[in-house]
Amino acid sequence: MIWGGLLGVAAVLALMILHDWRAMPSYTKREKTAYGVLTGLGAILAILLVINPQMPGPTQWMDVIYKPLVNLLEKLTVQRSG
Amino acid sequence: MVIENGKISAPQIGKMIYLAVTPTAILSTPAITYQFAKQDLWISPMWAFSGVIAIWIALSIHRLFPGENLVQAGERILGRKLGKVFGLVILLYYLYLGGVIVREYGEFVVGAFLVQTPLLVVSGSMVLVCAIVVRSGVEIIARFADVFIPVFAMLFLLLIIPLLPDLHILKMLPIMGEGIGPSLSGSVVLQAWFSEFLTVSFLIPFANRAEKVKKSMAITLLAVIVTLVSSNLVTLLLLGELTGNYNYPFLIVARYINLADFFTHLESLFMAIWVLGAFVKICVFFYVTAMGAAQWMNLREYQPIVFPVGFLLLLMSVWVAPNLQELTHALSTSIIFSALTVLVCIPAALLGLAWIRRQWGKKNLQD
């Protein structure tokens, strides 16, 4: 399953780069760097997500930050429905 | 730096923003709002404070820094380094919201229609189509909004009008039985959607007549409120207390329609509304992310990074939540507060700072 996922990620990235390859010579150096960095970030994140789909994401980080406010809101809900 | 040559009109901006707010709001808010507001859920969309504030912030910032969007103005106000941090926060948040929207789209299509299709195929094909549109420029997105708004409105009316005889007015009583409290707390959820009006800040710089944007935004806000009030009202008057039990109450409403045993399964109309709306919505968020990221990195044009950003968007849609329940829970809790923080509070602080600096600067000049 993991290998299939990794293969899928590689295939998508390969198709994407292949598609942009023709236009590559017209990009400036800065644009090529930006393309490379963003694609690299995407590749890393994709591999991490394939290996561990339950990896805590931005939503969980926000849950931690906004815990007090969320608790307040949920108390309101309980009062309304109870 | 000119990164986009397209010019769009003020009404087009209004239509884009309308489609960038309404579709997901019709879909997922009635059930969440109902938990707080009960039979007052149709009043909740009228408390659109964060929408008014977000539009006002976006327009004020544009008045102070004509031709610049929020991220560019942030760099002017906060200085280079802090401004870059500010820009990164806003852009990452747009990427995150984009991921949430793609996920909502995928979950709905898979959950209600294409039950056998993998989620990634549905959301992946949507992101691909949007990437091609975003690459073509802001004018193309604006024209899609132009074309889709009449279709959207017509299909929406086609869903509501056949239901009118089946609505039970008594289900909305007592109106404000416990004062305005419940409807206000119900509107907390909607503030996340209304704060998305800040997106106009990224579109005004391309307006051919920026002074007309104010009026078209007022009309847009009103149109969004009217749409949400009518969809919530129809849901409530048909389903009553059951509204809170469904993930997508409006879909149930659409399924209910049956005219002479001939017009049935109108949920396919709702599906059409949803795909059209979500398409423009994802395009707008995708465009803001890609264009903003290109500006942030001082690129000459944003087209080269559209596909890598699209790949990140697709990954984000997987990453935001492990399943639909978690996503709905996040939508009714931490996403509200983070949207209010990032899209209303931080830009408001930025605007305040800009004003203080301007006043201070004037005083220094006089001395």
Side-chain angles (χ1 to χ4, degrees), chain A residues 13 16 19-20 26-28 30-31 35 42 49 54-59 62-63 66 70 73-74 77 80, chain B residues 36 38 93 96 135 178 297-298 300-301 304 307-308 311-312 315 319-320 329-330 332-334 337-338 341:
Chain A
L13 282 175
M16 189 179 90
H19 174 266
D20 288 335
S26 66
Y27 294 173
T28 60
R30 223 188 155 78
E31 282 163 357
Y35 190 93
L49 279 173
Q54 304 295 319
M55 184 172 61
T59 309
M62 282 177 204
D63 280 342
Y66 295 102
V70 169
L73 193 76
E74 280 183 340
T77 334
R80 285 289 299 158
Chain B
F36 297 96
K38 301 290 171 200
Y93 196 71
Y96 173 75
R135 235 175 123 102
E178 294 173 44
M297 295 185 280
N298 295 326
R300 200 168 36 108
E301 48 187 10
F307 279 104
F311 188 63
L312 283 173
L315 290 177
W319 203 18
V320 285
H329 183 251
S332 60
T333 53
S334 50
F337 296 115
S338 57
T341 316

Side-chain angles (χ1 to χ4, degrees), chain A residues 62 65-66, chain B residues 70-71 78 81-97 198 202 288-289 292-293 296 316 338-339 341-347:
Chain A
M62 282 177 204
I65 299 174
Y66 295 102
Chain B
L70 190 66
V71 173
L78 297 169
K81 276 192 185 139
L82 261 178
K84 287 286 182 203
V85 175
F86 165 76
L88 188 65
V89 169
I90 296 273
L91 292 174
L92 282 181
Y93 196 71
Y94 263 93
L95 182 67
Y96 173 75
L97 272 186
L198 188 77
F202 294 90
V288 168
T289 318
W296 192 79
M316 199 54 106
S338 57
T341 316
V342 180
L343 300 182
V344 177
C345 295
I346 296 179

Side-chain angles (χ1 to χ4, degrees), chain B residues 8 179 235 248 275 293 341:
Chain B
I8 50 181
T235 315
Y248 311 116
V275 174
T341 316

Side-chain angles (χ1 to χ4, degrees), chain A:
Chain A
M1 189 59 211
I2 284 181
W3 289 110
L6 291 181
L7 216 66
V9 170
V12 169
L13 282 175
L15 277 176
M16 189 179 90
I17 293 170
L18 209 68
H19 174 266
D20 288 335
W21 197 253
R22 252 183 317 150
M24 223 35 113
S26 66
Y27 294 173
T28 60
K29 201 164 173 234
R30 223 188 155 78
E31 282 163 357
K32 280 180 200 156
T33 321
Y35 190 93
V37 170
L38 286 174
T39 312
L41 278 176
I44 295 170
L45 185 58
I47 293 168
L48 286 176
L49 279 173
V50 168
I51 296 173
N52 179 14
Q54 304 295 319
M55 184 172 61
T59 309
Q60 279 82 358
W61 308 335
M62 282 177 204
D63 280 342
V64 175
I65 299 174
Y66 295 102
K67 189 120 193 120
L69 282 169
V70 169
N71 284 345
L72 197 77
L73 193 76
E74 280 183 340
K75 222 159 72 187
L76 255 168
T77 334
V78 172
Q79 273 174 7
R80 285 289 299 158
S81 47

